[in-house]
Amino acid sequence: MQIKDGNFSTRASEALADASLQKSVSNLKRGFVAARARAVAALPEYEAMREAGAAIKDHTLDNLDFYLERYEREVVRQGGHVHWAADADEACRIVRQICTRAGAKSVVKGKSMVSEEIGLNEALEADGLEVVESDAGEYIVQLAKEAPSHIVMPTVHKTTDDIADLFYKHHRAHGFDERETDPAELIGQVRSILRDKYFAADIGITGANFLVAETGSNIIVTNEGNGDLTSTLARVHIVTAGIEKVVPTLNDAAVLLRLLARSALGMEITSYTTLSTGPRRPGDADGPDEYHVVLIDNGRTKMLAGTFRPMLRCIRCGACMNHCPVYMSVGGHAYGWVYPGPMGAVLTPMIAGHEKASELPHACTLNGRCQQVCPVKIPLPDLLRRLRHDQWEAGFIKSKVRWGIGLWAWLATHPALYRVSTRIGVAVLRLFGKSSGRLTRLPFAGGWTAGRDMPAPQGTTFHAAWAKRNPQR
Amino acid sequence: MSESRRDDMLARIREAVGGNRRSEEDLAQLEKRLTQPSAAPRPRVSDDRLGQFIAKAEANLITVERIASLQMLVPAVRALLSQTSAPPDISVAPALEHLGWPADWHVNIGAGRRKEPMSVTMAVAGIAETGSIVMRSDPTSPTTLNFLPDVHVIVLRASDVVDYPEDAWARVRAGAPGWPRTVNIISGPSRTADVGGIIVRPAHGPKSVHLLLCHD
């Protein structure tokens, strides 16, 4: 998927003014947050499970080369193929080659965030392949030519009416002539259309929630059963996965699965947890003839090598965005790429480059809720602060901001001057706010005072008040 | 083509984590970890394992019915079929082929079909922690029977209910040599909330899951 360059603030302003988006987001946020809280409160062991989950991920990342090699060995032993892709282009090229060799015309996809990260659909469509997303949410955003706005609930931004219009426009070709508004009817249309697609598909592409080194399996979790049909009915099953998805054993995966469902949806487990290992075995009545895994780096080794290694613990549950006041105000599209919210604000600059996402690390109040709810304890606020620092060092901060912060820093390191200027500042503000005790307009802060008044300072400066209280100092 | 690309990528990863500095002893530790049982904390399972399994399965909207033996399977399935004049048309996993299905039914033994009113399959384990049912693929147990039917009927021996998924892996391995192509852990009917946040059943898979818990 193409990254939308720059200008988070413009997209955020548009999102705030979009009444329909605001309604959809606010309808859902209470549900997610409350459900997770209930699931966590029901488990006295939860905190210890979180520690264990983070420890498994850290151990795996510390030995990632070992576990990837072991994983590869097991996949090959089971008759599968493993491909290594250093970046998005290489990954797309590998998948396209597999499709070409298979003489493929049609592709059905289960949900895979990394496939969106590498722009796989566009690459396959450019080769003339029909590509259909099978997860109902992904199907809807694909039909609407939009991007998902949440990594777990891609359609958070769309109302039932939006979807009714969309299906009315596109599904007449499939014999659905009425404009339906009942969610069950709308999903029934998707079920019926996709049923044929699964059977016709040459290639089934899924992501992986986990790759298991012990058995060479990939694990996906779904509630719909779409990824499971995708990986079973197509002639060729291709798994696209980031290199950080590997875990040592099935038991390690079990620990992380407990955290994933609770953090993502507030449930103990999703309807389906499916482990796929190699192609169909001799005598099997179904399953693919070929099984391929594309292991994708695309900036991950860079994170692995430095201070951003904890970000690779991420299991893509979406809890950080569900608890983020910024995400909950502006929705996912404002972030401009595949990964929104706090995890996206770290991943997007790390994968796509600072210059493409310079505003994202600043779209954060550092309130720390994301870290509190993260099932693998990623210190997201620290990483965002670190990104701000790196951006400053690399000169990606706008000159006006640099100049302002530089002036502030200079003033703050000259105490005498600081005291004099704050005293003057307080006096001036008091003078202007004399009549009402409020200031309705401030220079350089018109945006802020447009929506609220600034209270005029009461009394003296902090330094003066402090000195008066503690005369001995 | 891919050999050098693979080696380069792996070399970069190894360098990033200091994998070159791993000693023989470190490697032995990593190998050992791959075969050790898990020590991770997990939710407590009640002493009444079967009771918890049934309660959790029902909370997942799986309907549970107890049968005394596999001989009761055909009558139990008959009772589930809608009372229409047309003869029943169902798919049955080869594992359950020998159970004396009525000659006037249409019984497809094998993989699932595009239009599939009902399938009857055999599970390898139940998990009390979450009320889940574990299916393994093999020539007698096609995976498509778990996803294509409107109504999925699963037979599970009560003695195959274990506490945790960690205990279920052994049951998966027990049936046949090697790890199977597909393992499905099923914890309810197919559903989605992608339209307006409202839960709809089914999405792509079964509308209902009926468990026949067999006590012989």
Side-chain angles (χ1 to χ4, degrees), chain A residues 28 43 45 48-49 52 56 59 61-70 72 78 84-86 90 93-94 134-137 140 153-155 160 163 183-184 186-187 190-191 194-196 198-199 214-215 217 223-226 228-229 231-233 237 243 248-252 254-255 258 262 267-286 288 291 295 297 301 304-305 309, chain B residues 1-3 5-7 9-10 12-20 22 27 29-31 33-38 40-44 56 60 94 110-116 129-132 137-150 164-167 169 173 177-198 200-207 209:
Chain A
L28 285 165
L43 268 189
E45 305 86 352
M49 285 164 55
I56 287 168
H59 169 79
L61 293 169
D62 290 347
N63 298 284
L64 192 60
D65 56 325
F66 174 85
Y67 287 115
L68 284 171
E69 277 201 284
R70 177 55 56 93
E72 178 187 46
Q78 299 284 9
W84 301 70
E90 244 175 55
R93 200 177 325 129
I94 290 165
S134 63
D135 172 87
I140 290 163
M153 296 284 283
T155 52
T160 306
I163 296 164
L186 293 166
I187 290 297
V190 178
R191 177 185 172 94
L194 258 297
R195 198 45 82 99
D196 292 336
Y198 293 127
F199 275 90
E214 177 190 5
T215 53
S217 310
N223 282 313
E224 299 185 2
N226 64 306
D228 320 82
L229 282 164
S231 57
T232 307
L233 284 169
H237 178 195
I243 52 172
T249 64
L250 292 168
N251 288 346
D252 292 320
V255 173
R258 288 187 180 100
R262 287 177 172 88
M267 300 187 314
E268 287 185 8
I269 191 163
T270 50
S271 287
Y272 303 110
T273 304
T274 289
L275 291 75
S276 302
T277 315
R280 76 159 79 179
R281 304 295 152 77
D284 280 1
D286 50 26
Y291 178 78
L295 293 173
D297 187 324
T301 300
L304 192 64
R309 188 182 295 184
Chain B
M1 47 124 214
S2 56
E3 273 310 298
R5 210 162 52 193
R6 169 197 182 275
D7 294 348
M9 196 168 135
L10 207 44
R12 281 195 300 273
I13 296 167
R14 189 164 290 134
E15 196 189 323
V17 300
N20 296 317
R22 221 174 270 129
L27 277 174
Q29 284 295 326
L30 291 177
E31 289 291 344
R33 192 188 180 286
L34 280 165
T35 54
Q36 268 174 345
S38 174
R42 46 197 183 183
R44 214 183 69 80
K56 288 276 186 184
N60 291 336
R113 300 162 297 175
R114 194 173 304 211
K115 231 173 126 57
E116 189 65 82
E129 179 195 344
T130 50
S132 309
S137 70
D138 62 42
T140 70
S141 179
T143 302
T144 40
L145 294 183
N146 304 335
F147 294 98
L148 291 170
D150 298 330
Y164 296 107
E166 287 90 334
D167 306 313
W169 313 136
R173 287 191 169 99
W179 190 256
R181 148 69 194 170
T182 308
V183 175
N184 300 121
I185 303 174
I186 298 175
S187 314
S190 161
R191 69 168 189 275
T192 184
D194 281 342
V195 174
I198 294 153
V200 169
R201 295 181 198 86
H204 297 275
K207 187 187 179 76
V209 179

Side-chain angles (χ1 to χ4, degrees), chain A residues 212-429:
Chain A
V212 184
E214 177 190 5
T215 53
S217 310
N218 79 284
I219 302 182
I220 59 169
V221 297
T222 78
N223 282 313
E224 299 185 2
N226 64 306
D228 320 82
L229 282 164
T230 301
S231 57
T232 307
L233 284 169
R235 277 195 291 125
V236 178
H237 178 195
I238 304 174
V239 178
T240 49
I243 52 172
E244 82 283 13
K245 291 289 173 187
V246 73
V247 294
T249 64
L250 292 168
N251 288 346
D252 292 320
V255 173
L256 293 163
L257 283 164
R258 288 187 180 100
L259 296 168
L260 178 59
R262 287 177 172 88
S263 302
L265 301 162
M267 300 187 314
E268 287 185 8
I269 191 163
T270 50
S271 287
Y272 303 110
T273 304
T274 289
L275 291 75
S276 302
T277 315
R280 76 159 79 179
R281 304 295 152 77
D284 280 1
D286 50 26
D289 297 328
E290 287 179 39
Y291 178 78
H292 298 265
V293 183
V294 185
L295 293 173
I296 300 164
D297 187 324
N298 208 27
R300 286 161 175 79
T301 300
K302 201 173 64 190
M303 283 187 255
L304 192 64
T307 42
F308 290 90
R309 188 182 295 184
M311 192 61 223
L312 295 174
R313 286 184 212 147
C314 178
I315 57 173
R316 308 287 192 264
C317 70
C320 61
M321 57 198 75
N322 298 342
H323 291 77
C324 174
V326 176
Y327 176 89
M328 279 303 178
S329 302
V330 302
H333 288 160
Y335 290 81
W337 202 42
V338 185
Y339 303 113
M343 54 87 82
V346 177
L347 282 177
T348 305
M350 290 308 293
I351 295 173
H354 279 301
E355 65 283 6
K356 297 244 174 122
S358 59
E359 283 185 290
L360 294 189
H362 305 271
C364 167
T365 67
L366 297 179
N367 66 68
R369 287 181 80 197
C370 49
Q371 182 173 359
Q372 282 170 4
V373 298
C374 176
V376 284
K377 307 186 92 161
I378 300 171
L380 286 156
D382 291 345
L383 298 181
L384 287 165
R385 237 190 323 256
R386 176 81 214 178
L387 279 170
R388 293 180 186 182
H389 179 83
D390 290 355
Q391 284 185 351
W392 178 274
E393 298 282 306
F396 283 117
I397 306 293
K398 281 186 206 148
S399 61
K400 205 165 93 182
V401 177
R402 289 185 85 87
W403 189 82
I405 293 176
L407 181 67
W408 172 258
W410 180 79
L411 195 62
T413 47
H414 294 79
L417 204 59
Y418 180 89
R419 271 180 213 134
V420 172
S421 49
T422 47
R423 221 179 299 148
I424 294 170
V426 163
V428 169
L429 288 175

